[in-house]
Amino acid sequence: MPVIPKKYSAEVAMPPKRLMRRLDGDMTEYLPTVNVLSISRFMRDHKTESIYYGRYSADSFQMFYHKAKKRDGGSTGFYGKVKKTDKGSLITGVFRKPLYAYVFAVIWTLLFLLSAGGAYGSGAAKTAYVILAVGAAGLWLILWDDHEKYLRMYLDRLPRPDNKEEAGNEKT
C-alpha cells in the first residue's frame, strides 16, 4: 500500500533522449487530474485494454498503469527524473498516489471522525464504532492498490548497462 512514497533508482543503458522516445512509444499520453469526468472518459476509452499512460517532459516523467476492465483513476504512479550518465541514463523517482487521492483521503477521514464524534456525543457509542469501522474500511480502499508492481516491472525491464567491459578491464 503506497501511502508513504517509495524511492526507486536504476541505471539504464539508453541515453535520455532515446529513453524518453521509448517512454513516448510505450505510454498513452494522459495526465490524471482532479476532474472526475476527464478520468472517467479516459478509463471508458481504454476499458478493454491494459495500458501504461502518463506524460513526460525533457528530463522528467509521470507514469501510471491502467488495468483492463477496472476504474483505477487514482492509482499509484511513478514520478521520475532522468539524468545522463556515462553508461546511459539514471532514472530516479518515487512510487506514490496522485496528490488528489491523499487530499480525498484526508477529507474522507475528517468526515467520518466528525460523524463518529457526533454519534458518540449523542450517546450512540455503538453507532460511532460502526461509523469509524466503515470510515477505516473506506480509507483502506482509497489508499490500497497493486499498481506499483506493474510500474516496477516495466522499469526493471528497461535494458541495463552491460558490466562485461568492466570485468574484462579488471582481468588484464
Side-chain angles (χ1 to χ4, degrees):
M1 179 161 50
V3 175
I4 298 171
K6 295 180 185 174
K7 293 183 179 181
Y8 178 86
S9 178
E11 194 164 355
V12 179
M14 286 190 257
K17 282 187 178 182
R18 188 166 156 219
L19 175 60
M20 290 305 190
R21 277 196 306 268
R22 174 150 179 193
L23 289 174
D24 183 40
D26 292 347
M27 286 193 304
T28 301
E29 186 174 347
Y30 177 75
L31 188 62
T33 64
V34 181
N35 183 347
V36 176
L37 295 175
S38 173
I39 294 170
S40 179
R41 192 176 314 115
F42 180 80
M43 296 301 158
R44 187 180 59 236
D45 291 346
H46 299 283
K47 186 171 154 181
T48 59
E49 58 187 338
S50 294
I51 60 167
Y52 291 98
Y53 65 96
R55 184 171 293 165
Y56 72 94
S57 63
D59 66 343
S60 64
F61 66 98
Q62 296 177 16
M63 178 183 272
F64 302 88
Y65 180 75
H66 166 66
K67 202 174 203 179
K69 300 181 183 175
K70 298 283 183 183
R71 298 185 67 87
D72 47 11
S75 64
T76 299
F78 180 73
Y79 298 80
K81 293 197 174 286
V82 177
K83 295 178 184 169
K84 185 174 174 63
T85 63
D86 294 338
K87 296 181 180 181
S89 303
L90 177 67
I91 298 174
T92 56
V94 293
F95 294 100
R96 69 171 175 81
K97 295 282 221 176
L99 184 59
Y100 63 83
Y102 291 115
V103 170
F104 184 75
V106 167
I107 292 169
W108 176 273
T109 303
L110 290 175
L111 284 174
F112 274 87
L113 286 175
L114 289 172
S115 298
Y120 191 78
S122 67
K126 288 183 180 178
T127 303
Y129 297 139
V130 170
I131 290 171
L132 285 175
V134 169
L139 184 63
W140 185 80
L141 288 173
I142 291 169
L143 296 176
W144 180 84
D145 72 23
D146 63 345
H147 290 192
E148 178 188 342
K149 68 181 178 185
Y150 298 110
L151 295 167
R152 188 178 292 274
M153 191 178 354
Y154 176 86
L155 293 170
D156 288 344
R157 283 190 319 214
L158 293 171
R160 301 291 185 234
D162 193 14
N163 292 329
K164 290 179 183 176
E165 292 177 15
E166 290 179 8
N169 290 339
E170 290 175 5
K171 290 180 183 178
T172 56

